[in-house]
Amino acid sequence: MRTDYLSAQDAAARLGVSLATLYAYVSRGRIDSRPGPDGRTREYSAGDVEQLIERKQAGRGAAQGAAHSLAWGLPVLETRISLIRPHGHYYRGESAIALAKSGATLEETARLLWDCGSHDPFAAELSHPWPAAIALLLHQAEVPPLERTVAALPLLALNAAHAHSIDPFHRRHDAALLLRETAALLCATQPSAQPIHHVMAASWRKDEMGLSQLVRCALVLCADHELNASSFATRVAASTGASLHAAVCAGLATLSGPHHGGAAARAHAFIQEMLRERKPVDRLRERLRRGEALPGFGHPLYPEGDPRAAVLLEALQATRPRPAKLSAIERLIEAVQAQCGRRPNLDFALASIASAYELGADVALAIFAAGRMAGWLAHSLEQQESGSLIRPRASYVGRAPQREE
């Protein structure tokens, strides 16, 4: 039978702490104490002790849950922007796949993601040329598209008309301009009021073979994907009050990693390697025996296959820009499926488009970045309007500090 009060030794033992820590809990008002029967010692509330134990256990569970949430785990914040289901993802309740198939543009998708309603922030005309510093940067052929864009955005921020405005119309106007400028920077061309997919396809001079509509479809499918690494980085930056330009720079930097947007470049290299092989199935078996990764295949959120890839590959097959090369890519997909059951993901689909049109890996990443920019801006706007700072705590597992004498 549990007593209402415990001796100091029993209370400390139940808590798993020293007597000094027990006394500290009492001094902070967390455990009640009273004089003991002999008048010389004290007793400690058993109820307070049990309540403190429960709080500790709950805290450990919450901390562990939060840690696991950061790696494909439980949700860590609320959003109205996008939702992922095994069969596809949604933008504010509307199917992204349906939007892509229906002919929606990235601009129309951005208006949905930014919750613009009847307001069209893309209605403004673009008339100003690039600032001299950015114009010079565009002529540096050795600078890759992503690095060029990351370098240019802080320079554009210097002249942004409403960089720190709290007016929602100002913010969305700046977002629309920034989306167009980003697409132009990625393609080393001038910003234009033309649809972004036309601007990008024209910059690669391949539009005569249907690339424009494939780019449009890919941009819409890439526009957002809930709280991925780059969107989370963008939200963290935006939560500090950073400008839209600064926040999306965080997204671009995160996208560059080989485990995120950089995976499209890895998939492109994998496709090129396999297309050069005389016996690609044998090479595939060799990779699998060695435990090597198959870039562009599998996705943790889509165990039955990435529906974004399925839509893009179907559209690519309908276009057939290079029938022989496309047939080889299709045989590669079938071989991987037969050997290990994995299906292509979005990275592979983007790399397939670039490969089929004989474009470089940078093109696959540029499409991804231009599309995802719409989502980063949506997350920035939502986070800024919430007014909250994202500041999680860390669970320290390093060497314990030495006790001071």
Side-chain angles (χ1 to χ4, degrees), residues 58-187:
R60 291 192 193 101
Q64 291 172 353
H68 292 309
S69 292
L70 296 179
W72 304 99
L74 298 172
V76 297
L77 57 79
E78 294 181 345
T79 182
R80 291 181 172 85
I81 296 169
S82 65
L83 169 71
I84 297 174
R85 288 288 184 259
H87 58 272
H89 62 306
Y90 295 81
Y91 301 150
R92 294 192 182 272
E94 294 194 27
S95 167
I97 290 175
L99 287 168
K101 288 183 173 181
S102 70
T105 64
L106 180 61
E107 290 88 339
E108 291 167 343
T109 304
R111 288 180 60 193
L112 173 63
L113 289 169
W114 304 344
D115 197 24
C116 290
S118 60
H119 174 60
D120 185 4
F122 293 96
E125 289 294 324
L126 297 179
S127 57
H128 62 86
W130 286 124
I134 294 177
L136 181 63
L137 185 61
L138 290 177
H139 288 92
Q140 308 302 311
E142 71 280 5
V143 180
L146 204 65
E147 285 73 10
R148 175 173 59 238
T149 307
V150 171
L153 288 183
L155 300 176
L156 287 175
L158 297 176
N159 297 317
H162 311 295
H164 299 286
S165 173
I166 61 173
D167 181 86
F169 291 102
H170 284 166
R171 285 178 171 175
R172 282 155 179 79
H173 177 272
D174 279 5
L177 178 59
L178 183 51
L179 182 59
R180 283 171 162 166
E181 290 176 332
T182 299
L185 286 167
L186 288 165
C187 299

Side-chain angles (χ1 to χ4, degrees), residues 172-402:
R172 282 155 179 79
H173 177 272
D174 279 5
L177 178 59
L178 183 51
L179 182 59
R180 283 171 162 166
E181 290 176 332
T182 299
L185 286 167
L186 288 165
C187 299
T189 188
Q190 291 291 321
S192 170
Q194 291 293 313
I196 287 172
H197 60 278
H198 287 325
V199 173
M200 299 187 79
S203 74
W204 298 317
R205 299 179 177 85
K206 299 283 185 176
D207 194 38
E208 71 280 1
M209 292 184 291
L211 178 61
S212 179
Q213 285 306 308
L214 274 174
V215 172
R216 179 201 59 74
C217 185
L219 290 172
V220 171
L221 292 172
C222 290
D224 198 58
H225 206 231
E226 196 219 64
L227 202 60
N228 52 80
S230 56
S231 294
F232 186 64
T234 300
R235 290 193 78 119
V236 171
S239 78
T240 69
S243 68
L244 290 179
H245 290 75
V248 298
C249 275
L252 279 166
T254 308
L255 186 75
S256 68
H259 298 298
H260 193 8
R266 294 169 58 213
H268 187 274
F270 176 57
I271 291 173
Q272 301 311 306
E273 175 193 346
M274 299 307 287
L275 292 183
R276 289 191 297 268
E277 291 287 334
R278 294 182 60 187
K279 296 181 178 180
V281 175
D282 291 346
R283 174 66 180 129
L284 180 61
R285 290 197 187 103
E286 182 182 343
R287 288 185 71 117
L288 290 171
R289 279 197 300 270
R290 292 179 177 176
E292 296 178 11
L294 301 181
F297 285 86
H299 195 291
L301 296 180
Y302 299 115
E304 299 301 318
D306 189 337
R308 300 169 299 174
V311 170
L312 278 179
L313 290 171
E314 181 181 349
L316 179 59
Q317 289 163 3
T319 305
R320 302 192 72 80
R322 301 285 188 280
K325 185 164 289 189
L326 188 55
S327 294
I329 293 173
E330 291 169 354
R331 289 194 296 272
L332 173 59
I333 294 172
E334 292 169 359
V336 172
Q337 175 74 21
Q339 292 294 319
C340 61
R342 296 177 191 166
R343 294 182 173 88
N345 59 30
L346 178 65
D347 301 311
F348 187 89
L350 294 173
S352 295
I353 292 172
S355 297
Y357 281 89
E358 298 182 345
L359 297 166
D362 283 345
V363 167
L365 186 53
I367 295 172
F368 197 156
R372 190 56 56 86
M373 179 62 66
W376 293 333
L377 289 164
H379 284 281
S380 296
L381 292 167
E382 185 177 65
Q383 191 64 44
Q384 287 176 343
E385 288 163 7
S386 77
S388 60
L389 175 68
I390 298 175
R391 203 299 188 188
R393 294 296 309 277
S395 177
Y396 179 71
V397 294
R399 185 175 65 182
Q402 294 182 353

